[in-house]
Amino acid sequence: MKLRLPGCAVEVVDEIDSTNSELMRRARAGRTGRVLLVAREQTAGRGRLGRGWVSRAGESLTFSLGLKLAPADWSGLSLAVGVSLAESLHPQVGLKWPNDLWVADRKLGGILVETASFGEGAAAGRYAVVGVGINIAPRPETGLSTPPAALQDLDPAVTADTALQRLGAPLLAALEAFEAYGFTPFQARFNARDVLRDREVQLSDGTAGTAHGVSEAGALLVHTAAGMRTVTSSEVSVRPRP
Ligand code: BTN
């Protein structure tokens, strides 16, 4: 791993429970420097909504980027991360709201953003841990279910190392842009890669409608029988209807 990121430490470990858990532990212990922690293997990888994240050693890219952030508004942070990753990886990588990377209607990768507070009084702030898992090599078909997408489906020569080289610096720059300007500069870029756009979607509360891109704050706009609904990730999950 030859990645160098100006102003950011880069650490690579063979095995860890979860790169997100490790950077959250460090933040709670007062270690709040900028760091990109890459693991070849995670024994307790975590996904969104309390799910696990299973990845195969050498066949996926798993890392977390930890940094202090002080945006005026945190809305849309994980969507901005998705925009940056998709743009760095390949023109055919799409975004499924809120922050899955998709290729040809299958999941390529996921993002888990967590934050921890540090300091007190005037020195208080928040440390963000941006965790990313991307499938690099295709998983063999088992016949049980459709395998997830892999980056090598699009670019057979890509490896976890070359993918990380490509996305590291732009990701850091995107986080700095988000801190300064919020989600606004990412809105049109998200919508350009939105795989749900103009598709029928089903919300987890049972509502059905047509997806119409994301708002300035990164909420999903869904046209339902009751009018346009602004969906935030804490409310519902969404899936395309076949
Ligand atoms: C999701 O789609 O549910 C999000 C998956 C995020 C997985 C990454 S892998 C690196 C980092 N460490 C973790 O435990 N999770 C994130």
Side-chain angles (χ1 to χ4, degrees), residues 73-194:
D73 181 355
W74 288 82
S75 314
L77 170 59
S78 62
L79 282 76
V81 170
V83 168
S84 171
L85 297 176
E87 289 178 349
S88 296
L89 289 172
H90 195 278
Q92 284 171 32
V93 174
L95 295 165
K96 178 189 165 276
W97 186 90
N99 48 20
D100 284 353
L101 303 174
W102 266 25
V103 172
D105 266 4
R106 290 176 304 145
K107 184 158 172 166
L108 171 75
I111 297 158
L112 176 67
V113 177
E114 299 178 294
T115 63
S117 48
F118 63 83
E120 275 173 29
R126 286 199 87 73
Y127 188 75
V129 175
V130 175
V132 176
I134 297 171
N135 307 318
I136 300 293
R139 198 178 73 191
E141 293 258 7
T142 60
L144 293 175
S145 59
T146 317
L151 207 51
Q152 287 177 356
D153 297 340
L154 299 174
D155 176 358
V158 77
T159 63
D161 272 18
T162 57
L164 186 62
Q165 306 274 357
R166 237 183 268 166
L167 61 79
L171 176 58
L172 201 49
L175 290 164
E176 286 169 355
F178 180 87
E179 180 172 51
Y181 309 111
F183 183 66
T184 310
F186 296 93
Q187 182 188 12
R189 290 155 64 191
F190 186 99
N191 285 335
R193 288 180 183 255
D194 178 7

Side-chain angles (χ1 to χ4, degrees), residues 17-21 37 42 44-49 51-53 55 61-64 99-100 107 109-114 129-134:
D17 55 347
S18 148
T19 53
N20 262 49
S21 301
L37 177 63
Q42 293 188 123
R46 295 188 289 111
R48 289 178 56 243
L49 309 171
R51 300 192 189 110
W53 180 260
S55 50
L61 171 62
T62 51
F63 71 90
S64 300
N99 48 20
D100 284 353
K107 184 158 172 166
I111 297 158
L112 176 67
V113 177
E114 299 178 294
V129 175
V130 175
V132 176
I134 297 171

